[in-house]
Amino acid sequence: MNLIDDLELNIDNYEIISNFNDNLRLKDFNFEKIFEKNYINGILWGCVFGDSLGLDLEFEERVFDIPIVTKYRGSMKGWWTDDSSMLFATIIALKAMEQSYFNFYKQEWISIESNKFILYKTIMNFYSLFTEKALFTPKDYVYDCGLTLATSLQDYKEVQKIENGLENHFKDTKDKYELYSAGNGTIMKQGAITTYLYEKYQRDFDSIVKEISDEDKSRISTFIKALFDSKYFINILDTMNEISHVISSSTHKNLTASYSCYIMNIILTTNLILNNNLIGDLNKVKNMKQAIFLETMIYIKKYIEEKINEDIDLGRLDKDKPVISEINRIINLNSKTNINEMGEEKYLCPDWVLFDYKEIYNTGYSVESLISALHSYYHSNNALEAIVRAANVYGDAGTIAAITGQIAGSFYGIKEFYENDNDLINDLFQKNYIQNILDFEL
């Protein structure tokens, strides 16, 4: 019997669920292993670091005249919330999916409509293991579960009772354009999807990079341009984003939320490729992060605009709805900025790059959360500073910092987090359990 049969078909069998969970909790923490996949683990653990740092600041009123919080604190010091739990559940679900049904590596799988229903069903069953059986939680009980997730799981139970219910789930457009339904809960689990699929496609990404000329590799701007000029690279991004859309739609059937996930995926994927294929330690070069980000945004904007036009042509998107204007808040290049003290070069940049720290958002709306995460990342000097800036916006601090931690981790890596402050790992509650989930193999 495989993992899906064990866990999904026996969701009410306490012994099976307990044994699976205990095996993950009881294995020791391997300190050296955490650094083996520096940038992959930078994304995954970066989510947990940000989530845990923001936990004690969640939904507090924002203040600017007190010292910033730089350490885990409070009665649940080092715990994590449903943000990390959903990331964990998504990773295990994707691994179980491949064991039981199909290879995500084959791009054509997404064209088979029934596969989307299988993916939706598997994802929701593993999310149910979190809410109903407290898997993927710090202490085997659920103390934090978002309303959107709870409602989505209830809807999932209902659609299973109806003939063609799964098919109708994706056809239902009730919340497709409503901004209130474009919550940030879908972005914060994007790191699980990107890292899992990146490792599946890593050989392909390496082949794409080999096709880039040495001359183009000599400069960041020409390297990034050559990458996005590759039709093969764009095809892989399309596949990754389609999978992201299905998983996003399992809880957030909203196009604004889906496009936000696409942007997040492209940033994470590009950073992973750059760090794994160029001469290392890009994060040690002054202003390199800002240069890479602004160059990448040129092609993200182009990609997203093409996806929007494609969706309009296919009838999936109404051009008169606010989706386009809202996504443009993230990707517009209406402003200019300098990235060095000499002021010698002006880069096109989104308007939010020029926001003062006090102006960035602390809401749970996907567009504003992603802008705040990107602002915190862009204006930081290291990985720790990025999540500290994000967490100290208060409001939806944990989720915004969890998103920021993934982005910062994709560029700086987990080693940088540890070098900045080793207590990020040392003071994390149940770190052995986290590691065993993230490293779980079937």
Side-chain angles (χ1 to χ4, degrees):
M1 188 174 282
N2 61 37
L3 183 64
I4 285 186
D5 292 331
D6 279 348
L7 298 185
E8 291 183 21
L9 302 183
N10 296 283
I11 194 169
D12 293 321
N13 187 317
Y14 177 80
E15 184 178 356
I16 288 176
I17 300 298
S18 180
N19 287 341
F20 172 74
N21 203 34
D22 287 347
N23 286 336
L24 293 174
R25 287 203 188 276
L26 295 176
K27 290 175 64 177
D28 291 337
F29 178 70
N30 185 331
F31 185 80
E32 296 301 323
K33 191 175 182 182
I34 197 173
F35 300 114
E36 289 178 2
K37 298 179 180 179
N38 188 27
Y39 300 103
I40 292 287
N41 280 334
I43 293 172
L44 299 174
W45 285 83
C47 174
V48 187
F49 298 153
D51 181 18
S52 299
L53 185 64
L55 174 59
D56 198 50
L57 304 176
E58 282 265 276
F59 308 118
E60 296 290 332
E61 184 178 352
R62 192 174 184 185
V63 288
F64 295 102
D65 57 351
I66 63 172
I68 62 171
V69 175
T70 62
K71 296 276 190 180
Y72 306 145
R73 68 175 196 180
S75 59
M76 295 189 293
K77 177 181 177 181
W79 286 33
W80 66 88
T81 74
D82 61 335
D83 293 341
S84 297
S85 297
M86 298 309 294
L87 181 102
F88 302 155
T90 303
I91 287 175
I92 299 292
L94 287 170
K95 291 180 178 181
M97 279 285 296
E98 182 159 348
Q99 179 201 42
S100 302
Y101 293 113
F102 44 74
N103 187 350
F104 283 102
Y105 180 73
K106 295 179 179 178
Q107 294 185 47
E108 65 270 15
W109 82 266
I110 199 65
S111 64
I112 303 171
E113 195 71 13
S114 60
N115 284 343
K116 297 179 184 179
F117 309 143
I118 296 171
L119 178 54
Y120 166 59
K121 182 179 178 181
T122 304
I123 287 290
M124 296 307 281
N125 281 337
F126 275 85
Y127 291 173
S128 296
L129 290 173
F130 160 61
T131 59
E132 296 181 21
K133 302 299 179 183
L135 263 69
F136 318 120
T137 59
K139 291 203 74 172
D140 283 334
Y141 69 88
V142 178
Y143 68 91
D144 183 23
C145 177
L147 178 61
T148 301
L149 174 61
T151 303
S152 298
L153 286 170
Q154 185 58 45
D155 289 345
Y156 169 62
K157 289 181 179 180
E158 294 301 319
V159 301
Q160 290 186 94
K161 301 174 185 177
I162 305 170
E163 186 177 356
N164 298 322
L166 295 178
E167 293 90 334
N168 292 333
H169 169 82
F170 289 97
K171 293 177 182 177
D172 180 10
T173 58
K174 178 177 60 177
D175 295 327
K176 190 174 183 179
Y177 299 115
E178 298 296 338
L179 298 186
Y180 72 81
S181 65
N184 58 14
T186 188
I187 314 176
M188 56 80 179
K189 57 196 179 196
Q190 182 60 49
I193 304 166
T194 299
T195 54
Y196 178 78
L197 293 174
Y198 178 84
E199 291 193 290
K200 292 295 168 191
Y201 284 103
Q202 185 158 5
R203 285 185 299 178
D204 298 80
F205 288 134
D206 291 344
S207 296
I208 291 168
V209 170
K210 285 181 182 178
E211 294 298 316
I212 298 175
S213 69
D214 291 340
E215 182 179 355
D216 284 342
K217 289 177 185 174
S218 66
R219 294 183 62 199
I220 289 293
S221 59
T222 53
F223 181 94
I224 294 174
K225 181 181 185 302
L227 192 61
F228 281 86
D229 282 345
S230 166
K231 291 183 179 179
Y232 191 25
F233 177 64
I234 297 301
N235 287 341
I236 296 175
L237 283 185
D238 286 344
T239 302
M240 295 175 77
N241 285 333
E242 187 62 34
I243 295 168
S244 177
H245 173 66
V246 174
I247 295 175
S248 172
S249 299
S250 65
T251 52
H252 298 70
K253 291 183 290 184
N254 183 280
L255 287 175
T256 303
S258 289
Y259 283 120
S260 299
C261 289
Y262 300 168
I263 295 167
M264 177 88 161
N265 173 52
I266 300 170
I267 291 169
L268 297 180
T269 301
T270 304
N271 280 350
L272 286 172
I273 291 173
L274 288 170
N275 274 309
N276 286 324
N277 288 282
L278 295 181
I279 295 173
D281 292 332
L282 290 173
N283 58 348
K284 305 300 183 187
V285 181
K286 190 172 179 60
N287 301 316
M288 181 62 76
K289 177 184 67 182
Q290 286 85 352
I292 289 173
F293 178 77
L294 295 177
E295 288 287 347
T296 304
M297 283 303 296
I298 294 171
Y299 300 99
I300 290 177
K301 182 176 187 295
K302 181 173 181 280
Y303 177 90
I304 295 296
E305 287 175 345
E306 289 176 354
K307 292 297 290 182
I308 286 173
N309 289 332
E310 178 184 317
D311 285 344
I312 291 172
D313 291 341
L314 293 172
R316 295 190 297 215
L317 172 63
D318 184 341
K319 66 180 180 181
D320 296 323
K321 297 295 183 180
V323 175
I324 300 172
S325 59
E326 287 300 299
I327 291 300
N328 276 333
R329 292 173 62 188
I330 307 172
I331 65 173
N332 79 75
L333 297 175
N334 297 333
S335 300
K336 290 185 177 181
T337 187
N338 300 324
I339 63 167
N340 58 50
E341 295 82 354
M342 301 299 292
E344 295 172 349
E345 191 166 10
K346 283 188 175 292
Y347 281 74
L348 291 173
C349 69
D351 294 337
W352 54 259
V353 166
L354 305 183
F355 286 2
D356 183 78
Y357 179 62
K358 294 181 179 181
E359 295 180 278
I360 65 173
Y361 314 103
N362 63 2
T363 73
Y365 173 40
S366 60
V367 168
E368 294 183 346
S369 292
L370 184 53
I371 287 174
S372 296
L374 291 171
H375 187 282
S376 299
Y377 164 69
Y378 183 90
H379 288 285
S380 60
N381 294 307
N382 56 59
L384 174 63
E385 185 183 340
I387 61 172
V388 166
R389 289 176 66 93
N392 282 271
V393 302
Y394 290 76
D396 204 356
T399 305
I400 294 171
I403 296 167
T404 306
Q406 294 173 62
I407 299 168
S410 72
F411 181 79
Y412 291 107
I414 193 171
K415 290 178 183 177
E416 173 87 2
F417 275 116
Y418 185 74
E419 290 169 1
N420 295 156
D421 184 356
N422 56 28
D423 286 341
L424 284 172
I425 296 176
N426 295 337
D427 290 347
L428 202 59
F429 188 72
Q430 288 276 306
K431 55 182 175 284
N432 65 312
Y433 183 50
I434 297 170
Q435 183 178 54
N436 294 327
I437 291 171
L438 297 180
D439 292 346
F440 180 77
E441 294 295 340
L442 294 164

